[in-house]
Amino acid sequence: MYKLPDKLIDILISNDIKISEDDKSAYVELSFFSPEGQDCSLSTEKGNNIECFCNNIYDYYDNFDVSYETYLWLDSDGHGVNGAPYDMKDVYEDMAWCQNKIYDIFVIVQKYIDETRRNKVCQTEIK
């Protein structure tokens, strides 16, 4: 089963992203805290390689519905519950921040892929 590269894990951790990866599972969980203290997490399939993992993160970002995620944290009067900010606008902005953070994770992984490829090309040219 595919395992995320240690260097990528270190990069993600240095960006305040917690990683839960089980070698026996096809999934990895990435989590982080929003500015309002929301514990945000995404569980995504690792796939067979780093490119699949990267594409799965992008799909998660692309399908993240900020309005729906906001709705989950509102009571029947439109105020935040369960530790969410009281004002609906603040909850929405926090969920939008989470979506942007997921995109940031995608960019980090894509940058790792690009650098790894570039290093392989450079090593091939040196030989």
Side-chain angles (χ1 to χ4, degrees):
M1 178 144 324
Y2 177 72
K3 181 168 178 359
L4 296 178
D6 290 337
K7 185 175 179 181
L8 175 59
I9 290 171
D10 291 343
I11 293 167
L12 290 168
I13 289 170
S14 73
N15 282 275
D16 295 324
I17 300 160
K18 183 180 173 194
I19 301 159
S20 297
E21 180 183 20
D22 182 349
D23 292 343
K24 297 174 184 163
S25 174
Y27 289 85
V28 63
E29 185 169 320
L30 306 170
S31 57
F32 50 88
F33 286 98
S34 72
E36 293 289 343
Q38 171 72 23
D39 186 5
C40 305
S41 64
L42 60 128
S43 180
T44 188
E45 196 169 351
K46 289 186 269 188
N48 296 327
N49 56 45
I50 191 76
E51 288 84 4
C52 289
F53 176 65
C54 188
N55 290 337
N56 291 339
I57 292 171
Y58 184 83
D59 288 344
Y60 195 99
Y61 155 77
D62 195 40
N63 292 307
F64 190 91
D65 185 340
V66 174
S67 295
Y68 178 74
E69 295 295 328
T70 300
Y71 170 78
L72 294 174
W73 290 97
L74 301 177
D75 65 14
S76 60
D77 294 326
H79 299 291
V81 294
N82 297 328
Y86 182 76
D87 188 31
M88 180 190 307
K89 177 181 157 286
D90 293 335
V91 178
Y92 183 88
E93 288 173 354
D94 203 44
M95 291 298 103
W97 184 93
C98 290
Q99 183 185 38
N100 289 332
K101 182 72 172 183
I102 295 167
Y103 184 78
D104 291 345
I105 294 169
F106 161 74
V107 169
I108 290 167
V109 176
Q110 186 61 57
K111 195 178 291 187
Y112 173 84
I113 291 169
D114 293 344
E115 288 176 8
T116 301
R117 284 184 183 149
R118 194 169 27 255
N119 288 341
K120 285 182 182 177
V121 169
C122 288
Q123 288 174 358
T124 303
E125 290 175 355
I126 293 172
K127 290 181 180 181

